[in-house]
Amino acid sequence: MKVALKYTPDPLDKELIKLIQKIENGNDRNAYLEFADYIGSSEAYMVMNMIYQFSEQGVEKESIQELERYIQNLQENKVDELIQHKMNASDKFGLFPILISLFLVGGFAGVIFLHYMTNVTDALNTMPK
């Protein structure tokens, strides 16, 4: 974990240092879970639980591959969620120009209709009775 410290951004690196110090004092599962609690997602609990199991049982190639696949799936899910969020936001922002253009077209049609109707009413008023 010390190797990952230099790649960790600022607010998270302080918690990672605390985790490393707790692990050096004794490999306690609660230290891993406290770190996952700091991150605050269910995925963090699962990843930290896997890392704890690695520290207790040793690292096997299959376990590392499973963790890698799990993290890859998490990244793909996050990207999918981001894309969905952006699409929903674009739908919200796309509605405003559509309503404005609908209002302008409706207003233009109303003005043209009134213009022709005034010509029709003027023609009807000039007709002999």
Side-chain angles (χ1 to χ4, degrees), residues 6-7 10 23-24 27-30 36 43 52 54 62-63 68 70 74 79 84 113 117 119-121 123:
K6 62 182 175 181
Y7 302 108
D10 187 30
I23 291 172
E24 288 174 348
N27 195 20
D28 184 22
R29 182 184 188 124
N30 289 331
E43 293 89 3
Y52 171 73
F54 291 158
E62 295 84 22
S63 302
E68 184 179 4
Y70 181 73
L74 286 176
V79 168
Q84 189 65 35
F113 179 74
M117 288 310 291
N119 289 342
V120 169
T121 55

Side-chain angles (χ1 to χ4, degrees), residues 31-78:
Y32 293 91
L33 295 180
E34 287 173 7
F35 184 75
D37 189 44
Y38 174 77
I39 293 174
S41 68
S42 59
E43 293 89 3
Y45 284 102
M46 294 183 73
V47 170
M48 294 309 292
N49 187 35
M50 287 180 174
I51 293 173
Y52 171 73
Q53 289 175 0
F54 291 158
S55 68
E56 288 294 314
Q57 300 170 356
V59 179
E60 297 175 3
K61 185 175 182 179
E62 295 84 22
S63 302
I64 292 290
Q65 289 174 342
E66 179 184 345
L67 178 62
E68 184 179 4
R69 280 192 303 271
Y70 181 73
I71 292 174
Q72 182 67 31
N73 287 338
L74 286 176
Q75 289 175 342
E76 290 172 3
N77 290 342
K78 293 294 181 186

Side-chain angles (χ1 to χ4, degrees), residues 70-125:
Y70 181 73
I71 292 174
Q72 182 67 31
N73 287 338
L74 286 176
Q75 289 175 342
E76 290 172 3
N77 290 342
K78 293 294 181 186
V79 168
D80 290 343
E81 287 176 14
L82 180 64
I83 290 171
Q84 189 65 35
H85 177 70
K86 297 279 185 182
M87 287 175 53
N88 290 341
S90 68
D91 287 344
K92 292 175 189 173
F93 294 127
L95 187 60
F96 187 65
I98 291 171
L99 291 176
I100 288 175
S101 62
L102 184 63
F103 175 73
L104 290 175
V105 169
F108 180 72
V111 168
I112 297 295
F113 179 74
L114 288 176
H115 177 71
Y116 283 114
M117 288 310 291
T118 55
N119 289 342
V120 169
T121 55
D122 288 344
L124 290 175
N125 287 338

